[in-house]
Amino acid sequence: LTKALKIKNTFYDVSMEMNFSVDETGTAFATAPAVLTTNIWRTKWPAMEAAHNRGECKPCAYFLHKQDGCRHGANCPYCHLCTKGEIKRRKKQKVRTLKAAAAAEAEAAASAEPIEQDGEPDDA
């Protein structure tokens, strides 16, 4: 098998004459052997990945923006899977949520005040 594979631009070059890996659904894979497509994969941080997929994670600014990365590594309570734009997006979403809550509170306070008619306070 290694004689049939050529290295081309740091990748294995697979000729079209070679047999492709086929999984149990009958799909042919030219990029990975069948054993790689059928095994269960785990990431380096499974708990972090689960929280990230649920949207409950908090991005790690050190991991994303510092040249030397996060110094806590696997012990970091923040997410290393988020992209650089995620921190900014979440900050903007938080500001929108706070503004909407303040506007709703102001509207509720305005509707609860007694309405004056003919310039005199409403005496109930």
Side-chain angles (χ1 to χ4, degrees):
L1 180 65
T2 57
K3 291 180 182 179
L5 296 175
K6 297 187 306 185
I7 296 178
K8 187 176 189 180
N9 296 331
T10 69
F11 294 99
Y12 284 114
D13 184 37
V14 180
S15 65
M16 296 306 284
E17 295 86 33
M18 291 186 65
N19 292 330
F20 294 109
S21 300
V22 178
D23 68 357
E24 57 274 352
T25 63
T27 306
F29 293 94
T31 59
V35 69
L36 295 177
T37 61
T38 57
N39 283 352
I40 296 173
W41 289 91
R42 291 187 336 185
T43 61
K44 194 173 184 179
W45 305 292
M48 188 183 298
E49 181 184 20
H52 178 79
N53 290 338
R54 289 190 307 265
E56 298 173 353
C57 63
K58 295 180 181 179
C60 180
Y62 289 99
F63 183 77
L64 294 171
H65 297 288
K66 298 295 181 181
Q67 191 172 13
D68 59 343
C70 180
R71 294 181 182 157
H72 295 290
N75 297 327
C76 183
Y78 299 101
C79 185
H80 293 178
L81 302 173
C82 290
T83 60
K84 279 191 173 187
E86 188 66 20
I87 294 173
K88 191 172 191 176
R89 188 191 68 76
R90 289 190 186 193
K91 282 183 181 181
K92 285 183 177 183
Q93 179 64 37
K94 183 178 178 180
V95 168
R96 282 194 294 267
T97 304
L98 291 173
K99 283 183 179 180
E105 187 177 308
E107 186 178 318
S111 66
E113 292 179 3
I115 301 172
E116 294 183 17
Q117 293 180 357
D118 300 329
E120 298 180 18
D122 186 20
D123 293 331

